[in-house]
Every structure is written in structure tokens, then in C-alpha cells.
Amino acid sequence: METLQKLLGIDLPLIQAPMAGVQGHALATAVSNAGGLGSLPCATLSLDLLRKEIEQIRAGTDKPYNINFFAHVPPVPDALRDASWHAALAPYYREFGINADEIPAGPGRAPFSAEVAELLSEFRPPVVSFHFGLPDKALLARVRSWGSRILSSATTVAEARWLEEQGVDAIIAQGLEAGGHRGFFLSHDLTTQLGTFALLPQIVRAVKVPVIAAGGIADATGVAAAKLLGAAGVQIGTAYLLTPEATTSAPHRAALKSDAIEHTALTNLFTGGPARGIVNRVMRELGPLSNVAPAFPLATAAIAPLRSKAEAQGSGDFSPLWSGQNARGCKEIPAADLTQELAAGW
């Protein structure tokens, strides 16, 4: 099997996980220049901002980089569920003096589209990765026509087999420890979700393409363990959240440096989709998983004003404090140095 380094044109078998809301081009560029694969999360970017971010990456490095997108199918809005969600948040709106009738609706996250593909065709990025499966075959064929390597996340063996059948170049085995959104797409049953070191060897046995381990890996010994279990490389996100290149907010940084990291949970309160983050006030009071939160990503708009108001007061009580279960690996050192430290385990 071709090594991940040769497949992606990188020196180190390490991918910096794309993390929307806490990073931009600076982190991706730093990791790529250090020999890993820097990634840019694009699901929340407008076309104009996407162009600017890619231009910044290309100006900052001549090494390969990864452009990441969501591939979810946008749900049909449900007025009754929206009303229930607003009712659940009503006490908080009153607390912060927010007029719920003035909150604009919004999609929150956008899937990969023909418009995005048209823009990307100018850049022909070396690597394009997806979360929540893959876009339709025509769009995927267009990405492949640029010579881009294609990666996607699998949270089960069935998803890994499906991705291999679609012709992806490598599969990211996303364990339950990982911070941020679960990448599941064939089933949304959380009982199917396994820890990294339970999932990884099963996927390695099930497919012939390289498998990249993700979730809970935050130091060189974790990297070494992933290699021992058959990983072709690792994808690491949470460990980078305190680097100076990350755009992690002050409340989020404070939480990561506190004992709060001992408590993470999957929550759908911030977007509608289960994602792992540090437990905060709204997760404690509403419960991390709500039956009334709109489907992903439609829950975002209603909670966004609460986040803004709280963060203006220095609080992360209503913010998605995304974090994996092993946040003790976070270091306030340059991303290039952290990349080298992590890769030493290989």
C-alpha cells in the first residue's frame, strides 16, 4: 500500500483536523510548512471568504494543503420544532434582553455545492476532504478531475466500506473521543459510535485504502499507538486549539486551560447535530442532547444571539466549546513545534 506521505505529498503522516470557528489559514499554513497537512474548514465560509482564505494559504506555503467541506443533505425546516426550540431558549432570551422575533433564520452550515466547485476549479487544491459522507457523484468527479486527493470520515465499518466503494483515496476513522461533529452519515444511531482504538483496527481490516486515525490522539504516544494498530497516519485537532495560530476565543481558551476539560459530552444544542464539546451552562441546564433542537444545521440560528451576548461578557456559557476527550494535550506553543512533537511518535 502506498504510504500516506507519498499519497498526499507530505513529509509527516499527520493531518491537522479542520476546525470551523477556531481556525483559518494561519493554522493550516503553519502545519503544512512543518511537514504535515494543514486543513481549512470551509462549511461556514462565504464564497468570497473561501477565495481569500485559499489565496492566503497559497501565499504562505508551497506545500500540500487540505480544503474541507460538509456533505450533508440540508433538512426541510419544521415550523413546529422551531417553535419548540425557541420556547426552550425563551428564558435565556429574557435574561439577555433578546427579542426572539428579530432573530434571523439561517442555514448555519452549507454543504459542498456546484458554486463552490466552480471556485475551487481555479485553485485545484491538492487535497479535498469531506465530513458527513460525500457530495453527489458529478461533484465528486469534478474534484477528482483536478487531481485532488479525496478523503472522508467514517465512524463505522459500514461507512468505511461505502467510502471505499466510492473511490476515496484514504479514510479518516473518527473515534467517539473526537471533538466537534460526528461525521456519521449512514446511520445516526449513537450506539454505533466506537472509540478510536476499537474502530481503527476494524476499519483497517475492512478496507484496502490507507486509514487515518482521529479522536483522542494528543501526544506522541497516542500517535505511536495508532501506528501500532495499523493507521497510515493520524488526524489531530484539539491539541492545536491553544496554539497562537488558532483563532480560539478567549472563553474557549480559558475552558481548555481549566478543570472543565474533565467534562465533555456529545451535544446537539449548538447546531442540531451531535458534536463533542466541553460541558457548559446551557448543556447542563437543557441536557446535552435535546429532542426539540432542529435538525442539523438548523439549530444554529436561534442560539447564536445568546452566544454573542454571553461572549461579550467573557462567558462561554452558550458557546460550542468543541473539544475532544484528551484536551490535556493542548499546548500554548507554535503549531509547527507541536506538529513536530506529535510526529515524533511515528
Side-chain angles (χ1 to χ4, degrees), residues 64 138 146 158 176 186 223 341 343:
W146 307 326
L176 191 55
L186 291 185
V223 172
E341 279 191 17

Side-chain angles (χ1 to χ4, degrees), residues 250-311:
H252 198 166
R253 286 177 184 269
L256 288 163
K257 291 189 283 185
S258 76
D259 289 340
I261 60 170
E262 295 176 5
H263 304 274
T264 70
L266 292 180
T267 180
N268 66 344
L269 300 183
F270 300 105
T271 66
R276 184 171 299 283
I278 297 170
V279 175
N280 58 6
R281 178 187 168 189
V282 71
M283 290 167 66
R284 286 191 297 271
E285 293 181 358
L286 294 185
L289 294 170
S290 169
N291 291 327
V292 299
F296 176 85
L298 299 179
T300 308
I303 205 165
L306 294 168
R307 174 183 181 176
S308 297
K309 290 278 191 178
E311 286 189 355

